[in-house]
Amino acid sequence: MQTKYVFVTGGVTSSLGKGIVCASLGRLLENRGLRVTIQKFDPYINVDPGTMNPYEHGEVYVTDDGAETDLDLGHYERFLGVATTQANNVTTGRVYLEVIKKERSGAYLGKTVQVVPHIIDEIKHWMLQLGETGDYDVVITEIGGTVGDIEGQPYLEAIRQLRYELGSRNTLNIHLTLLPYLEAAGEVKSKPSQHSVKTLLSFGLQPDVLVCRTDRPMTEDVRRKLALFCNVDQRAVIASQDAESIYEVPLLMKEQGLDEIAVERLHMKEDFEGKVLDAPDMDGWVRFLRQLKEPQGKVRIALVGKYVEHQDAYKSIAESFILAGAANGVQVELAQILSDDLTAANVEEKLADVNGVLVAPGFGDRGVEGKIEAVRFARENDIPFFGICLGMQCSVIEFARNVCGWKSANSTEFDPVTEHPVIDLMEEQKKISTKGGTMRLGAYTCQLTKGSRVAEIYGREKVKERHRHRYELNNVLRYKLAEHGMQFTGVNPKRDLVEIVELPEKRWYVGVQFHPEYRSTVGNPHPLFASFVRACVTYAEEKDNILMPKGPRREKKIHLASAKM
Ligand code: GLN
């Protein structure tokens, strides 16, 4: 069966929410009964974003197979509930690396290796790869950047060729643009969108659908104008109006028939006979949105990290809290605490009104002492505590210093000659000197201790979680830490690496070496996040500082009446 390919490009500016539109369309098609995956092509030369710092790129999202990828893949997984892999994120760097490797191995012997055809062919190969597995009916391909960028041109040429080869029955072009409102003119301007489509046309690509980001409803007049000047059906000019939550976007897209247009244009009803529902079943999504928008209360949780000023640096953690909050009927307000600023003298004041403390992952020593102070404050005051990766490592350091009394305890990442290296480089990491893709990456099994809090939370004794680190809890000191009351309730069975630490006498104190935040999806928040938020709610109720008292539901407008679903 021929897979259908949807290509999504953007114009005018970046940050229009292309990833969310792709994820929304993906979910709508999935809920019509189709098997969907989404892939992203990033036109930069890094082989993957793993070597970029979060200020540069936002969060690095890690897949089960250990790929370090763009954070949009997190949106794809959260919206679709389907795992992605390395094949779902390709960069110009990876494309060139493959081509150059082939050239060195003699694959093109005798030929001059060029952008056209070799680089374009390699891009096309990656664009088709997921479809060729036979696992998907629809592959949505998002192209990073904006049309007209020099580095994006090979991708547009690859799409042009694929449209030519596969035909309009099997390919669809969606182009995202911005409709700015000019205060002085009192008007929404369509000209930037027209120019963007012109640029796209100059690469031989005519969009079938225009999705226009706007801060106000699109008038019929603007719709008509865009349709006429951009050569697009009027009903295929779709407004992507700013929404309170990204999780409203699938319903906004459905309301305007984006999925219907895709189904029609790609002849999916005929080609996938009997498989495609007349409308997506979004009941579950609407229920989730209702929970999200009608919280019964609000809890404040501190997110302690060194990248808190960058809104995308802890994307999956922030989204996991939104999803876990909805599941618990509360809104989680994240108090972003810059760890560099935390000291023993001010920690009490900075964390005064929070109902829980999460210490974030990270690399390098900036802000580590502040994180350790945050752990101490949470432990000593029995505030629910959750440590992720470096956050877990900080909890072990704090425990070693302040409970075991090993004042100089540290990770060798920060103090290579510490007397008490409670966190140390993993054996296999000692031989590695290159940085790209060389950490302990991807999903590994974790065996949970029977009867432990985490085993109860998961409701299982064996789980798989994703990793991204070089250091680990030092097994030489592990038994000494245990003598002082720290429990190791999750361990990698093959290599005896500690994956989870707990202080069971605390109301909720869990540190994990892995990244649970990568596995939260809509309707299925990660159990550790759901349980942590529940503990924060209970704590807030005990302290009587839940921010919105329980009471009659406040009606909040949901963008789409559920009756229409
Ligand atoms: N820097 C630590 C390590 O490499 C923690 C990594 C992380 O938090 N992702 O082990």
Side-chain angles (χ1 to χ4, degrees):
M1 195 162 26
Q2 171 63 54
T3 306
K4 307 290 182 179
Y5 293 91
V6 178
F7 296 102
V8 182
T9 54
V12 185
T13 69
S14 58
S15 309
L16 293 180
K18 245 185 301 169
I20 301 297
V21 169
C22 290
S24 299
L25 174 62
R27 181 64 192 231
L28 291 171
L29 294 175
E30 189 177 76
N31 285 15
R32 275 179 172 243
L34 294 158
R35 299 168 305 159
V36 184
T37 189
I38 312 176
Q39 56 185 355
K40 176 151 193 209
F41 285 74
D42 279 311
Y44 50 72
I45 297 182
N46 303 64
V47 174
D48 61 42
T51 51
M52 283 187 236
N53 110 26
Y55 287 119
E56 195 74 25
H57 188 269
E59 166 189 277
V60 172
Y61 186 81
V62 179
T63 56
D64 278 336
D65 64 344
E68 296 177 280
T69 72
D70 185 79
L71 59 79
D72 270 332
L73 271 77
H75 291 308
Y76 306 162
E77 287 205 13
R78 283 186 290 274
F79 275 57
L80 262 60
V82 175
T84 54
T85 64
Q86 178 64 74
N88 294 75
N89 191 197
V90 179
T91 69
T92 293
R94 184 169 299 277
V95 169
Y96 271 78
L97 190 66
E98 292 303 320
V99 170
I100 292 170
K101 272 201 270 180
K102 280 190 209 161
E103 188 276 334
R104 291 289 84 184
S105 71
Y108 308 111
L109 220 49
K111 292 263 183 285
T112 309
V113 183
Q114 306 187 90
V115 173
V116 184
H118 303 100
I119 293 295
I120 308 293
D121 283 349
E122 188 68 27
I123 293 174
K124 281 162 64 184
H125 159 76
W126 285 92
M127 282 179 168
L128 295 174
Q129 184 174 264
L130 283 167
E132 284 166 351
T133 60
D135 294 338
Y136 305 103
D137 303 315
V138 184
V139 177
I140 300 173
T141 300
E142 176 186 352
I143 308 296
T146 45
V147 297
D149 296 347
I150 293 172
E151 56 266 48
Q153 289 182 15
Y155 297 92
L156 300 181
E157 171 60 11
I159 298 173
R160 189 197 65 73
Q161 291 188 14
L162 285 177
R163 289 215 83 178
Y164 172 78
E165 286 164 10
L166 300 171
S168 59
R169 193 180 180 95
N170 298 314
T171 58
L172 186 79
N173 273 20
I174 299 179
H175 188 56
L176 255 84
T177 67
L178 175 71
L179 287 181
Y181 176 78
L182 281 198
E183 201 69 56
E187 258 184 330
V188 163
K189 291 294 182 190
S190 68
K191 194 71 88 184
S193 299
Q194 296 179 39
H195 280 296
S196 181
V197 170
K198 265 215 176 100
T199 308
L200 203 55
L201 283 168
S202 72
F203 294 104
L205 286 176
Q206 163 67 51
D208 303 299
V209 180
L210 273 187
V211 176
C212 307
R213 183 70 184 264
T214 163
D215 66 352
R216 63 203 61 223
M218 190 192 277
T219 62
E220 274 317 295
D221 204 37
V222 170
R223 202 183 293 269
R224 210 173 306 122
K225 204 162 158 186
L226 281 165
L228 178 65
F229 293 124
C230 301
N231 227 356
V232 171
D233 271 1
Q234 213 163 300
R235 61 183 275 260
V237 179
I238 287 175
S240 174
Q241 198 181 326
D242 294 354
E244 235 177 78
S245 156
I246 54 170
Y247 298 104
E248 289 175 38
V249 179
L251 302 184
L252 290 173
M253 293 297 119
K254 178 188 177 292
E255 202 176 32
Q256 297 172 81
L258 179 62
D259 56 308
E260 184 57 33
I261 293 168
V263 166
E264 275 177 29
R265 288 294 186 89
L266 292 165
H267 300 271
M268 293 206 252
K269 284 205 166 140
E270 302 92 291
D271 291 358
F272 302 137
E273 214 184 318
K275 192 166 175 180
V276 187
L277 301 178
D278 284 335
D281 174 3
M282 296 299 277
D283 284 356
W285 195 278
V286 170
R287 267 197 304 281
F288 154 72
L289 211 51
R290 208 171 277 282
Q291 283 178 322
L292 183 71
K293 301 201 81 178
E294 295 170 2
Q296 303 287 293
K298 189 163 158 186
V299 284
R300 232 171 111 73
I301 297 179
L303 168 61
V304 182
K306 66 172 172 174
Y307 301 113
V308 287
E309 309 101 316
H310 190 297
Q311 62 161 353
D312 283 343
Y314 303 113
K315 195 73 187 163
S316 292
I317 291 178
E319 296 303 323
S320 288
F321 273 125
I322 291 174
L323 302 175
N328 279 289
V330 293
Q331 183 191 340
V332 175
E333 187 183 283
L334 281 185
Q336 315 260 2
I337 311 283
L338 184 65
S339 49
D340 312 33
D341 291 348
L342 274 184
T343 62
N346 68 15
V347 65
E348 182 162 1
E349 175 209 332
K350 295 231 180 213
L351 298 180
D353 58 347
V354 301
N355 308 125
V357 175
L358 182 138
V359 177
F363 297 84
D365 64 356
R366 179 168 69 84
V368 164
E369 290 302 322
K371 286 184 171 176
I372 293 170
E373 274 311 315
V375 184
R376 184 187 59 75
F377 183 76
R379 184 182 55 77
E380 288 180 352
N381 294 287
D382 200 5
I383 301 170
F385 165 76
F386 195 6
I388 298 184
C389 209
L390 180 58
M392 169 268 199
Q393 298 176 353
C394 286
S395 75
V396 176
I397 299 169
E398 191 278 324
F399 187 83
R401 287 184 189 174
N402 301 322
V403 178
C404 305
W406 309 333
K407 293 294 168 216
S408 68
N410 215 330
S411 162
T412 52
E413 182 176 4
F414 316 123
D415 179 2
V417 293
T418 169
E419 249 177 84
H420 288 99
V422 281
I423 307 292
D424 198 10
L425 203 56
M426 282 181 278
E427 232 8 82
E428 76 269 20
Q429 287 288 331
K430 294 185 178 158
K431 298 171 238 117
I432 294 173
S433 58
T434 54
K435 293 279 184 250
T438 54
M439 282 186 252
R440 181 174 184 235
L441 290 165
Y444 288 95
T445 303
C446 171
Q447 179 73 46
L448 307 175
T449 308
K450 214 183 178 102
S452 63
R453 182 196 297 269
V454 286
E456 190 191 316
I457 293 170
Y458 277 102
R460 277 184 292 151
E461 278 170 25
K462 217 175 220 174
V463 295
K464 269 198 158 179
E465 295 286 1
R466 299 182 195 173
H467 293 252
R468 183 171 187 250
H469 62 116
R470 292 187 201 281
Y471 292 79
E472 59 159 329
L473 193 143
N474 186 343
N475 275 343
V476 176
L477 293 171
R478 170 167 157 191
Y479 300 95
K480 285 248 164 74
L481 289 162
E483 278 168 17
H484 288 86
M486 183 163 256
Q487 290 195 0
F488 307 107
T489 52
V491 172
N492 175 277
K494 267 205 190 127
R495 303 190 28 217
D496 197 30
L497 302 177
V498 170
E499 303 275 2
I500 305 179
V501 305
E502 277 192 62
L503 294 182
E505 79 281 6
K506 297 290 171 197
R507 65 179 82 231
W508 208 100
Y509 183 108
V510 177
V512 292
Q513 184 59 79
F514 50 79
H515 291 267
E517 69 272 24
Y518 297 140
R519 289 209 311 114
S520 284
T521 61
V522 167
N524 236 335
H526 191 286
L528 289 175
F529 272 92
S531 170
F532 176 57
V533 170
R534 201 169 315 123
C536 297
V537 171
T538 309
Y539 177 62
E541 280 169 350
E542 271 173 37
K543 281 208 323 183
D544 213 19
N545 77 343
I546 188 117
L547 293 172
M548 258 163 58
K550 272 191 186 294
R553 274 171 180 266
R554 291 190 327 158
E555 274 311 314
K556 261 201 174 179
K557 193 174 163 280
I558 291 186
H559 258 294
L560 211 67
S562 58
K564 280 198 202 161
M565 291 290 93

